[in-house]
Amino acid sequence: ARAAAKNHAHGTILCQPEQYEGYLAELEANGEASLAFRQVCARQAFWHTANYDCAIANYLTDTDTPTEDTETQLPASYATAGNLCQSLRYGENPHQIAAWYASGTANGWAAAEQLQGKALSYNNLVDLEAARQIISDFADSDLANPKNPPAVAILKHTNPCGVAVGAAVNSPLEDTYRKALAADSVSAFGGIVAVNRPIDADTAAAFTETFLECVVAPACDDDAKAVLAKKKNLRILVLPDLTAGPARTVKAIAGGFLAQDADSQPINADDWKVVTDREPTADELTELAFAWRVVKNVKSNAIVITGDRATLGIGAGQMNRVGSVKIALEQAGDQSHGAVLASDGFFPFDDSVRTAARSGITAIIQPGGSMRDNDSIKAANELGIAMIFTGMRHFLH
């Protein structure tokens, strides 16, 4: 194919069935394919072979037996490729051209079924992926035998504004959705919703009470489809495997790009360390684990306050951690009394601990690692707060 493409001045290379009609039209109009048409076909052939070579190289890289020199490194050359999945109306803003490309075979969002609603936009897809990342920590691979309680994440501009899990595996999904919605119903307006359970009629009816952009779920029953059809502009997507995400992430910068492993390491509470005199109660420990799962998906600097397995206040993307703490506490209000707090990064000073204590926070989870960790530990001991160091940071830029 590459050889034929290089020789496009004298021949036409067709690598996709979609090109046949255009080729026949060229023959009918001109008796032969024009140079311009041959150049377009050659370009498509080069992209086709480039994608193929890229897939092979990445496969051999991912399956190669790591050595002492390579197990902690990315390859010396790194390539990424994709096929056009959908041309988008525009990008983040109307003046930006955008398209959606799918890598490899149909998987991820390319494998999702859109049941209804308008075509997905660039921002929809970005938000949907952020929602999938949150809900993946609460999702089950086997829907017939769920191990996790129902979970709901509501997002706006890639940040969660409400996340909740049910009290038990058989808790109603509708109740969990309303629990997440109550966390910040104002921000949820026009938001994205991800759930880890098939949508039922009761939950579908609850969705229709608020303006939402998109909902993604592993399945949707027929009764729910009938209810949701009344909101024809609401995009409903079925993505059976919510846990399958990219192994690495790529971000463009001037003159190149950055690649890194996805922040998808499983949470292991056995690695956590209680650093205060008071240990968290069993209920606080469960709550801290929930808060830690949420905070890793909030833009840094990130602070999350939770209670009864639901977010109460979220401080996202502030330039200093104290600012994020204040925003989260203000949003939580009186509900912060007896709640827990999670921070995606360490506290550089003890001021955040003291601010949290004044609002009634009883337990804190954070990575630790500051030169002034002892100041935060001392303040927590003085104020009767239990504090855990996870040893793992979760910045999200």
Side-chain angles (χ1 to χ4, degrees):
R2 290 186 77 255
K6 286 193 291 184
N7 198 40
H8 69 271
H10 306 287
T12 306
I13 170 68
L14 304 178
C15 59
Q16 300 291 342
E18 293 79 10
Q19 296 172 312
Y20 297 167
E21 185 177 349
Y23 179 66
L24 292 174
E26 286 278 321
L27 293 182
E28 184 176 349
N30 309 314
E32 63 178 0
S34 65
L35 177 60
F37 182 82
R38 296 198 301 271
Q39 287 176 333
V40 170
C41 292
R43 182 175 69 237
Q44 289 177 302
F46 278 122
W47 278 118
H48 183 72
T49 56
N51 287 347
Y52 184 71
D53 290 341
C54 180
I56 294 173
N58 285 333
Y59 173 80
L60 293 176
T61 299
D62 291 340
T63 58
D64 190 23
T65 303
T67 65
E68 185 176 346
D69 294 331
T70 64
E71 62 182 1
T72 60
Q73 299 177 2
L74 289 173
S77 296
Y78 192 93
T80 182
N83 295 307
L84 182 65
C85 185
Q86 182 180 320
S87 294
L88 304 173
R89 288 178 60 198
Y90 51 78
E92 287 179 301
N93 299 288
H95 61 273
Q96 295 171 267
I97 298 173
W100 170 15
Y101 293 87
S103 56
T105 56
N107 55 32
W109 290 108
E113 179 186 6
Q114 185 171 347
L115 302 181
Q116 65 174 59
K118 297 180 291 185
L120 294 170
S121 70
Y122 180 97
N123 290 336
N124 288 156
L125 287 160
V126 171
D127 284 334
L128 281 166
E129 175 58 15
R132 187 207 59 78
Q133 289 175 15
I134 295 180
I135 213 68
S136 66
D137 277 337
F138 305 97
D140 292 293
S141 57
D142 184 0
L143 289 177
N145 300 288
K147 297 179 181 179
N148 291 308
V152 176
I154 306 173
L155 284 85
K156 198 73 168 291
H157 305 308
T158 73
N159 273 313
C161 50
V163 183
V165 299
V169 173
N170 59 352
S171 296
L173 180 62
E174 178 197 0
D175 292 351
T176 308
Y177 167 70
R178 294 191 183 281
K179 191 176 174 183
L181 182 64
D184 188 354
S185 59
V186 174
S187 297
F189 184 84
I192 307 288
V193 176
V195 300
N196 69 342
R197 285 282 195 280
I199 305 171
D200 55 61
D202 290 339
T203 308
F207 289 157
T208 65
E209 296 170 6
T210 303
F211 170 59
L212 301 171
E213 284 279 354
C214 307
V215 175
V216 60
C220 182
D221 68 34
D222 290 339
D223 291 338
K225 290 178 183 177
V227 173
L228 292 166
K230 299 173 185 177
K231 287 270 189 176
K232 62 180 182 179
N233 288 331
L234 172 59
R235 302 168 178 89
I236 304 295
L237 291 99
V238 170
L239 184 62
D241 188 357
L242 293 163
T243 64
R248 297 193 183 104
T249 62
V250 177
K251 182 175 292 188
I253 61 172
F257 57 88
L258 307 173
Q260 65 170 353
D261 289 342
D263 188 8
S264 56
Q265 294 83 353
I267 293 174
N268 186 0
D270 293 337
D271 295 334
W272 296 353
K273 182 180 179 181
V274 178
V275 294
T276 49
D277 295 338
R278 184 174 84 77
E279 294 198 4
T281 65
D283 188 64
E284 284 175 333
L285 190 58
T286 301
E287 195 69 50
L288 289 166
F290 167 73
W292 188 242
R293 281 176 167 83
V294 177
V295 79
K296 68 177 284 193
N297 295 288
V298 179
K299 295 289 186 181
S300 299
N301 286 309
I303 297 293
V304 170
I305 296 168
T306 76
D308 191 26
R309 316 314 178 254
T311 55
L312 304 174
I314 298 175
Q318 299 306 300
M319 285 63 72
N320 64 78
R321 198 156 297 277
V322 176
S324 291
V325 171
K326 290 179 177 177
I327 290 172
L329 289 171
E330 181 179 356
Q331 186 182 26
D334 292 340
Q335 296 179 96
S336 62
H337 290 276
V340 307
L341 181 149
S343 173
D344 67 335
F346 62 65
F347 292 136
F349 303 100
D350 66 359
D351 46 4
S352 293
V353 176
R354 296 186 180 279
T355 300
R358 285 194 294 270
S359 294
I361 296 296
T362 64
I364 291 174
I365 187 167
Q366 59 137 316
S370 169
M371 294 176 60
R372 295 183 175 86
D373 273 345
N374 286 334
D375 292 346
S376 294
I377 295 170
K378 181 180 177 181
N381 284 331
E382 174 190 327
L383 299 164
I385 292 178
M387 187 155 62
I388 286 178
F389 283 1
T390 64
M392 180 177 287
R393 192 183 73 184
H394 283 302
F395 279 178
L396 179 61
H397 285 83

